[in-house]
Every structure is written in C-alpha cells, then in structure tokens.
Amino acid sequence: MSDGTKVSGMTRLRNYFLTGFIVCAPLAITVYIAWSFIGWVDSWVKPYIPARYSPDTYLPFPVPGFGLIVALVLITLIGFLAANIVGRAIVNFGERLLGRMPLVRGIYRSLKQIFETVLSNKGDMFSQVGLVEYPRKDVWSLVFVAGEKETEINRKLDKEGDPLVAVFMPCTPNPTTGFLMYVRKSEVVMLDMTIEEGARLIVSAGLVPPPLDRKPPDRKIGASGKPLKIGNPPAGAPLQPARSSRTASSLPNK
C-alpha cells in the first residue's frame, strides 16, 4: 500500500470522526443538561411528596421527572390561585411583609422585576441587534438594544434629535454576562438579524453567522402598540457623529 493511500485513508477516517463528533457532542451535552436539571428538581421536590403518592414507593426503580411534573403542576396552581381576589390579597400581604425586611426586600424586588421583565409580555425586552464602536475606533462589538425609554439618564444626558439608548454588550461565549451601556442612537448600527441569531453568533464566537439572503425580521412592537423607533441613520449621513474631546470616563458638565 502506497504512502498516498495511507494518508488518504487516515484523512478520511479523521473526517468521519469529526463528523460524528459534531453530530453527537451537541446531542450529548443537551441530554446531559436536561437530565441534570430534571435530577436537580427531583431532589428538591420528591422529599416533600408523601410516600403513598410517590411512584417510587410502588416501583423497584425511581421515576425520573416525577418531581418536575409535580413542580410544574404546583407552580401552575399557584398562578391560578394568585389570579383571583383572594390570591392577590395573600400575595400582597406577603409582599408587604417582605417589604419590611431590610435585606430581603431588596433581593426580592430586584428578582421580581427581572422575572417580570423577562417573562411578561408587557416588557419590550431586547428589540434589535446592533453594532457599537467599542473598545476603540473601527473595532465593532455586537450589542442587544433594549429600546428607547424615558429615564433619569435620558433627561440629564439626551441631546435634541439624538437620544441615548440602553444597549447590553454580552460576553463570549456566555451571553448572560456583559455590560450595560447608554450610547447615542446615531452611534448604533442596527442589524437585521434576530436576537436568537445574535446570541448564537456570540456563543459560537463568530463561527455560526446568520444567513445573508433572507427577509428582514419584523420589528418588535412596543408597549404603546407602535413599532419601536430605532433604526440606522438616513442614507448619506455619517454613521458616527463628530466625537467631542470629552472622554467616556469624564463627568458631564454641570
């Protein structure tokens, strides 16, 4: 057998292995995370289930996921009870009680606001994906635009016709961590990719870009029922406004 045939055979074998690894690795990691989550919930819920109601009592093997099912049913039931008058009264009483605890009330209010923003349809959430010139000129970072909202920061720093917008710059490969920044609307270059595509691009460190030839996604509708007014500067206008001599770390003039 010639050396060329051996090299070709090893190359083909390596390609087969890499192809199988690409197929199996995401599936195995997904199964592992799902199985770990089910086991974690079961370890919390199952000890509180009476033995006569647990299938583990009557079967020779434990039933994975039973605790998760019980937790989902209980959470849904609590949500149903909290939606009526009596349930709201109990919830309000509990919140007033927590509001009197100095350390606990800050943690509870922060967590409640985060979950309401993430899970409620009332929150605008991230509206678009954009690019911001950071950390220096001609170096661009991917950001998630939170939308235009009237805040104390806007009242003190907004310029006429060029308001500040809140953007979240995630870190690679974990998009749940990053930096919150307020930048000029004219300094954000809006992209057509969706939030999911932007997150996938960040997680993959740029290896999985979104497709180019596709219809731009519909923009998110704000709480007022109107599309969020965020977009790129008009054609022919410069992407970046003239930069002042003030640095990002300097305080605004009083």
Side-chain angles (χ1 to χ4, degrees), residues 151-164:
T151 64
E152 181 182 1
I153 298 174
N154 293 94
R155 290 183 179 180
K156 292 188 175 182
L157 297 179
D158 270 359
K159 292 181 180 179
E160 186 176 358
D162 193 13
L164 290 175

Side-chain angles (χ1 to χ4, degrees), residues 1-9:
M1 184 179 294
S2 63
D3 293 340
T5 305
K6 292 181 180 178
V7 173
S8 177

Side-chain angles (χ1 to χ4, degrees), residues 138-189:
D138 291 332
V139 175
W140 298 88
S141 297
L142 203 70
V143 296
F144 297 144
V145 183
E148 297 181 45
K149 297 180 181 179
E150 184 66 24
T151 64
E152 181 182 1
I153 298 174
N154 293 94
R155 290 183 179 180
K156 292 188 175 182
L157 297 179
D158 270 359
K159 292 181 180 179
E160 186 176 358
D162 193 13
L164 290 175
V165 293
V167 299
F168 175 71
M169 186 178 68
C171 296
T172 300
N174 182 11
T176 60
T177 62
F179 303 94
L180 171 65
M181 302 185 297
Y182 283 84
V183 298
R184 300 291 172 193
K185 178 180 177 181
S186 59
E187 292 185 350
V188 183
V189 179

Side-chain angles (χ1 to χ4, degrees), residues 123-246:
D124 288 335
M125 295 289 291
F126 295 126
S127 58
Q128 291 177 251
V129 181
L131 291 173
V132 171
E133 205 171 17
Y134 180 89
R136 63 173 177 82
K137 184 175 177 58
D138 291 332
V139 175
W140 298 88
S141 297
L142 203 70
V143 296
F144 297 144
V145 183
E148 297 181 45
K149 297 180 181 179
E150 184 66 24
T151 64
E152 181 182 1
I153 298 174
N154 293 94
R155 290 183 179 180
K156 292 188 175 182
L157 297 179
D158 270 359
K159 292 181 180 179
E160 186 176 358
D162 193 13
L164 290 175
V165 293
V167 299
F168 175 71
M169 186 178 68
C171 296
T172 300
N174 182 11
T176 60
T177 62
F179 303 94
L180 171 65
M181 302 185 297
Y182 283 84
V183 298
R184 300 291 172 193
K185 178 180 177 181
S186 59
E187 292 185 350
V188 183
V189 179
M190 298 300 169
L191 303 176
D192 290 330
M193 69 176 66
T194 63
I195 302 298
E196 292 77 10
E197 291 171 341
R200 193 180 306 120
L201 182 64
I202 292 170
V203 171
S204 66
L207 298 177
V208 187
L212 289 177
D213 300 329
R214 49 87 184 274
K215 181 181 178 181
D218 296 332
R219 294 305 176 199
K220 189 174 180 62
I221 303 300
S224 62
K226 299 180 180 179
L228 295 176
K229 299 179 180 179
I230 297 181
N232 293 329
L239 292 179
Q240 300 293 327
R243 297 182 180 272
S244 63
S245 60
R246 185 178 65 179

